[in-house]
């Protein structure tokens, strides 16, 4: 009898050729690698150890004796075609070979190998009477986009280190490489800044939380708090680095800053005391753009951030900045006058220019939401597109600006499954149809934002995130011509067997099938709280 082993890889590789036979992973399998890849050998050994109880021997190629029953991780100089992140994987009955130009490619080859093993490999307890078969195969693979991101908003609900580590693990499995960490907003400041202790003492706590949707007057009666010390942040950075994930921290300014204003009211236009906000939506009180102490504060905050985060990219928000206070503030109005600015929109551009210039001079790239785009921006800034202003974004791209796509309709993971069903999410293409070919290179990739207003716990967070993030991993990696929803859906079912074993929650697609009524609610379904996943 011929047993067909399942080949169900997500994201779908560039090329997969199935060949006869299988490799059987045993306790005698050896892992060979270049000397500088020994930590990746260890990563693989640790990955398969809990389920198999195989404590595999690791050796460098210098000590290579036998060829049979070995897994080989090889850096090859001639692999330029695969780019920085690509890899080749060849499984024969006697040997497995992963070759790549860079260690990250080897890491992704390992993730593909992991998906070729039975899903039981994800067990954290020993699985008895299991043959660890890997189908023979030849894979050639590299990503379509360099930016394949997931954003987590912990300002609205703090999740904590264990959950972040778990998400980073899943990101690695899906070959996602950017973790955008939304750490500050109106409802909470979540990162310790040593120069400004009140950001944590005051800004990381709120008394209560709005429940029942954006228009609801109802509050729960529970205080909510949480923050990351700089040691915690360092731990997460190291964890991400070992999974070839870059972390991009976001300090959302000058709007979405009520938690900072509650900590230091002098940073506002009005100066009066504030509470850390307990409700969602737009807030009128923002950082004052007229007072010098605001810029001193931000420079100090960013200096600490830059010391911590090695990614050298800082997200400065810039979304949904209401101008009401700036219009009434004598400091802001004076700034308008002395800088010769026409209006408060230009004042935001002044603000963005000043902060990004500072960040550039200390070696940082800057990214902001597309609300902050303006023809008077002076610095090179990556734009993260989400909603409105598409024309401006096209102009920006045609002038040479780089953009990450997070289109509201498709990529927002906080959306109900009636508004953004999996099938619609999978249709998303980061390259806009009308964008001329010569500008395609300015689309760096995509990012799926997980906004946190309605995710008080892990189960809900995972339910909103998966399986849609799995679709985005394929969109970010696989050539458009190879994408096929039916094929994805079949492979997804296999991947979700892994999620079941890992204990990761996800939306049951039978249960979230949008009915016609819910579909008609469209945007309204986003602003009324939706149950699910608990
Ligand atoms: C956003 O959704 N305010 C970026
Ligand atoms: Zn002001």
């Amino acid at each position: 009898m011929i047993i067909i082993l399942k080949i169900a890889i997500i994201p779908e590789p560039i090329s997969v050729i199935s060949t006869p036979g299988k490799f059987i992973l045993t306790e005698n399998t050896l892992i060979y690698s270049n000397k500088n890849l020994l930590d990746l050998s260890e990563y693989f050994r640790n990955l398969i150890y809990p389920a198999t109880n195989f404590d595999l021997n690791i050796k460098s190629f210098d000590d290579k004796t036998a060829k049979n029953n070995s897994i080989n991780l090889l850096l090859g100089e001639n692999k330029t075609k695969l780019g920085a992140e690509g890899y080749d994987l060849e499984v024969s009955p006697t040997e497995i070979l992963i070759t790549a130009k860079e260690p990250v490619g080897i890491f992704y080859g390992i993730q593909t190998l992991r998906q070729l093993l039975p899903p039981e490999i994800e067990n954290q307890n020993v699985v008895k009477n299991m043959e660890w078969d890997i189908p023979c195969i030849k894979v050639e693979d590299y990503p379509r986009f360099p930016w394949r991101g997931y954003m987590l908003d912990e300002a609205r609900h703090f999740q904590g280190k264990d959950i972040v580590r778990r998400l980073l693990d899943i990101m690695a499995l899906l070959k996602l490489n950017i973790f955008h960490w939304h750490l500050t907003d109106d409802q909470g400041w979540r990162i310790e800044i040593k120069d400004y202790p009140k950001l944590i003492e005051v800004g990381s706590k709120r008394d209560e939380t709005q429940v029942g949707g954006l228009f609801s007057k109802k509050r729960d009666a529970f205080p909510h708090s949480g923050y990351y010390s700089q040691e915690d942040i360092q731990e997460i950075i190291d964890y991400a680095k070992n999974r070839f994930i870059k972390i991009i921290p976001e300090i959302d300014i000058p709007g979405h800053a009520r938690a900072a204003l509650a900590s230091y009211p002098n940073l506002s236009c009005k100066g009066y005391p504030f509470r850390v906000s307990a409700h969602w939506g737009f807030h009128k009180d923002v950082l004052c753009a007229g007072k010098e102490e605001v810029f001193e504060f931000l420079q100090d905050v960013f200096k600490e951030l830059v010391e911590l985060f090695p990614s050298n990219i800082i997200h400065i928000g810039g979304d949904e900045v209401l101008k009401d206070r700036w219009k009434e503030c004598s400091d802001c109005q004076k700034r308008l006058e002395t800088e010769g600015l026409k209006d408060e929109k230009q004042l935001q551009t002044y603000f963005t220019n000043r902060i990004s210039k500072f960040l550039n001079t200390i070696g940082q790239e800057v990214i902001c939401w597309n609300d902050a785009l303006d023809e008077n921006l002076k610095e090179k800034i990556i734009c993260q597109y989400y909603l409105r202003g598409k024309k401006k974004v096209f102009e920006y791209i045609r002038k040479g600006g780089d953009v990450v796509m997070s289109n509201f309709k498709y990529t927002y993971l906080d959306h109900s499954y009636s508004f953004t069903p999996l099938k619609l999410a999978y249709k998303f293409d980061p390259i806009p149809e009308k964008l001329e070919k010569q500008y395609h290179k300015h689309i760096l990739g995509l990012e799926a934002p997980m906004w946190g207003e309605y995710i008080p716990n892990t189960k809900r967070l995972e339910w909103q995130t998966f399986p849609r993030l799995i679709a985005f991993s394929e969109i970010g990696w696989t050539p458009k011509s190879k994408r096929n929803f039916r094929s994805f859906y079949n492979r997804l079912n296999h991947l979700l067997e892994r999620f079941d074993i890992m204990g990761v929650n996800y939306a049951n697609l039978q249960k979230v099938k949008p009915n016609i009524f819910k579909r008609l609610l469209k945007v309204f379904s986003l602003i009324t709280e939706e149950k699910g996943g608990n």
Side-chain angles (χ1 to χ4, degrees):
M1 190 175 71
I2 297 172
I3 297 171
I4 312 260
L5 294 169
K6 284 175 206 156
I7 295 174
I9 305 163
I10 297 183
E12 175 76 36
I14 292 271
S15 150
V16 175
I17 299 168
S18 184
T19 55
K22 64 185 180 186
F23 178 98
I24 306 171
L25 184 75
T26 70
E27 60 196 333
N28 297 320
T29 302
L30 278 164
I31 311 178
Y32 290 106
S33 77
N34 304 82
K35 276 209 174 81
N36 60 344
L37 293 180
L38 290 175
D39 52 345
L40 286 180
S41 299
E42 272 175 36
Y43 171 85
F44 182 73
R45 177 176 64 187
N46 296 341
L47 196 71
I48 60 116
Y49 176 75
T52 60
N53 205 28
F54 299 161
D55 191 9
L56 299 188
N57 254 317
I58 290 175
K59 294 191 174 187
S60 92
F61 286 123
D62 299 349
D63 305 322
K64 186 151 183 172
T65 48
K67 208 173 163 196
N68 279 359
N69 197 7
S70 67
I71 297 173
N72 301 271
L73 312 179
L74 176 68
L75 284 183
E77 286 307 316
N78 57 348
K79 290 287 166 187
T80 44
K81 185 181 72 164
L82 301 175
E85 295 183 289
Y87 65 92
D88 274 339
L89 164 68
E90 203 169 331
V91 179
S92 77
T94 54
E95 195 189 29
I96 293 175
L97 175 63
I98 301 176
T99 40
K101 188 162 166 271
E102 303 285 343
V104 58
I106 301 284
F107 183 76
Y108 289 147
I110 289 174
Q111 298 307 327
T112 297
L113 184 59
R114 175 182 178 184
Q115 291 195 25
L116 291 170
L117 275 155
E120 288 80 0
I121 199 70
E122 306 296 341
N123 253 293
Q124 289 309 299
N125 299 311
V126 179
V127 183
K128 299 234 168 76
N129 304 321
M130 186 79 201
E131 192 175 82
W132 300 104
D133 293 341
I134 301 169
C136 288
I137 198 170
K138 276 186 186 176
V139 177
E140 184 186 283
D141 204 11
Y142 51 88
R144 180 178 174 205
F145 293 106
W147 192 298
R148 305 178 302 280
Y150 175 59
M151 189 208 86
L152 181 64
D153 160 21
E154 286 201 79
R156 273 56 180 267
H157 282 99
F158 180 72
Q159 305 290 338
K161 273 194 292 187
D162 288 346
I163 297 171
V164 171
R165 272 195 289 257
R166 183 174 157 98
L167 288 166
L168 291 169
D169 277 334
I170 302 170
M171 285 178 69
L173 172 68
L174 299 172
K175 303 186 178 91
L176 294 168
N177 63 351
I178 300 279
F179 179 62
H180 168 180
W181 212 355
H182 185 83
L183 286 164
T184 72
D185 214 295
D186 296 309
Q187 299 80 9
W189 184 286
R190 307 281 173 224
I191 173 170
E192 177 192 27
I193 301 295
K194 294 195 195 268
D195 274 352
Y196 296 90
K198 282 192 190 163
L199 289 170
I200 289 312
E201 286 161 22
V202 176
S204 73
K205 301 169 185 164
R206 63 174 184 261
D207 306 333
E208 55 182 11
T209 298
Q210 181 178 29
V211 284
L214 187 59
F215 300 133
S216 166
K217 294 264 180 268
K218 237 170 89 186
R219 307 286 183 265
D220 66 10
F222 308 116
H224 182 83
S225 64
Y227 73 93
Y228 293 101
S229 69
Q230 294 200 354
E231 289 73 38
D232 293 334
I233 297 271
Q234 191 58 58
E235 259 181 57
I236 295 293
I237 289 170
D238 293 342
Y239 198 83
K241 183 165 167 266
N242 290 335
R243 284 149 188 77
F244 297 89
I245 295 168
K246 244 188 209 180
I247 302 189
I248 295 175
E250 178 180 354
I251 303 293
D252 200 349
I253 51 169
H256 288 285
R258 259 278 290 276
L261 302 187
S263 314
Y264 296 97
N266 59 308
L267 303 174
S268 70
C269 290
K270 296 262 188 191
Y272 47 54
F274 298 92
R275 287 197 326 151
V276 175
S277 178
H279 65 275
W280 320 125
F282 298 8
H283 289 55
K284 284 186 181 163
D285 286 289
V286 302
L287 291 169
C288 177
K291 297 189 174 89
E292 276 308 291
E293 60 203 280
V294 169
F295 294 95
E296 280 160 29
F297 164 80
L298 289 173
Q299 291 189 6
D300 292 342
V301 167
F302 285 127
K303 273 189 213 154
E304 287 196 34
L305 231 65
V306 167
E307 282 294 308
L308 271 172
F309 288 92
S311 57
N312 296 334
I313 307 181
I314 304 272
H315 203 304
I316 59 168
D319 56 322
E320 299 167 339
V321 185
L322 296 183
K323 311 292 191 310
D324 305 53
R325 298 292 182 256
W326 288 0
K327 285 184 181 150
E328 302 156 0
C329 170
S330 57
D331 292 313
C332 285
Q333 291 306 312
K334 201 158 140 210
R335 179 81 73 195
L336 241 79
E337 214 179 288
T338 52
E339 295 294 330
L341 306 171
K342 195 172 77 213
D343 55 19
E344 287 72 21
K345 170 76 187 134
Q346 287 199 353
L347 186 56
Q348 183 175 352
T349 302
Y350 164 84
F351 188 98
T352 312
N353 277 335
R354 196 162 158 185
I355 296 299
S356 36
K357 183 167 181 194
F358 169 74
L359 285 167
N360 285 169
T361 56
I362 57 171
Q364 302 301 297
E365 274 192 83
V366 176
I367 173 164
C368 70
W369 297 105
N370 66 286
D371 292 350
L373 275 197
D374 186 80
E375 63 208 22
N376 296 314
L377 282 182
K378 290 203 182 90
E379 307 295 322
K380 188 169 161 44
I381 299 179
I382 301 170
C383 162
Q384 182 165 14
Y385 175 73
Y386 76 108
L387 187 66
R388 300 178 291 266
K390 212 164 198 170
K391 194 163 156 248
K392 260 192 181 161
V393 174
F394 268 69
E395 281 165 13
Y396 195 67
I397 294 170
R398 288 180 184 130
K399 274 188 355 202
D402 290 335
V403 177
V404 173
M405 302 302 274
S406 293
N407 303 44
F408 180 84
K409 180 176 162 192
Y410 297 92
T411 69
Y412 269 42
L413 294 165
D414 55 321
H415 287 177
S416 66
Y417 280 85
S418 357
F419 188 75
T420 308
L422 180 69
K423 198 167 182 178
L424 179 69
Y426 191 81
K427 272 198 189 132
F428 176 58
D429 197 63
I431 300 199
E433 243 170 57
K434 295 195 178 115
L435 186 67
E436 300 80 358
K437 198 155 189 318
Q438 69 264 37
Y439 301 118
H440 288 190
K441 62 175 186 287
H442 291 295
I443 306 291
L444 302 182
L446 81 163
E447 213 182 273
M450 179 68 259
W451 294 104
E453 285 93 331
Y454 304 121
I455 51 165
N457 57 50
T458 318
K459 283 239 163 302
R460 184 68 199 268
L461 163 63
E462 291 177 345
W463 188 87
Q464 291 289 139
T465 300
F466 306 112
R468 288 181 292 200
L469 186 64
I470 304 171
F472 296 126
S473 82
E474 183 143 306
I475 296 169
W477 184 281
T478 307
K480 192 177 177 195
S481 59
K482 286 210 74 177
R483 263 163 48 196
N484 174 299
F485 185 69
R486 188 180 281 232
S487 152
F488 170 73
Y489 199 80
N490 286 334
R491 284 175 289 118
L492 177 64
N493 282 324
H494 291 299
L495 192 73
L496 292 177
E497 284 177 42
R498 258 163 232 274
F499 275 43
D500 289 337
I501 294 168
M502 293 155 83
V504 178
N505 198 25
Y506 52 87
N508 178 327
L509 295 175
Q510 299 313 312
K511 286 196 186 148
V512 296
K513 256 192 185 150
N515 63 38
I516 191 80
F517 175 67
K518 277 193 179 166
R519 264 236 165 106
L520 287 172
L521 284 172
K522 289 217 164 171
V523 169
F524 191 71
S525 72
L526 311 180
I527 49 186
T528 56
E529 193 169 14
E530 182 172 316
K531 300 246 177 305
N534 294 312

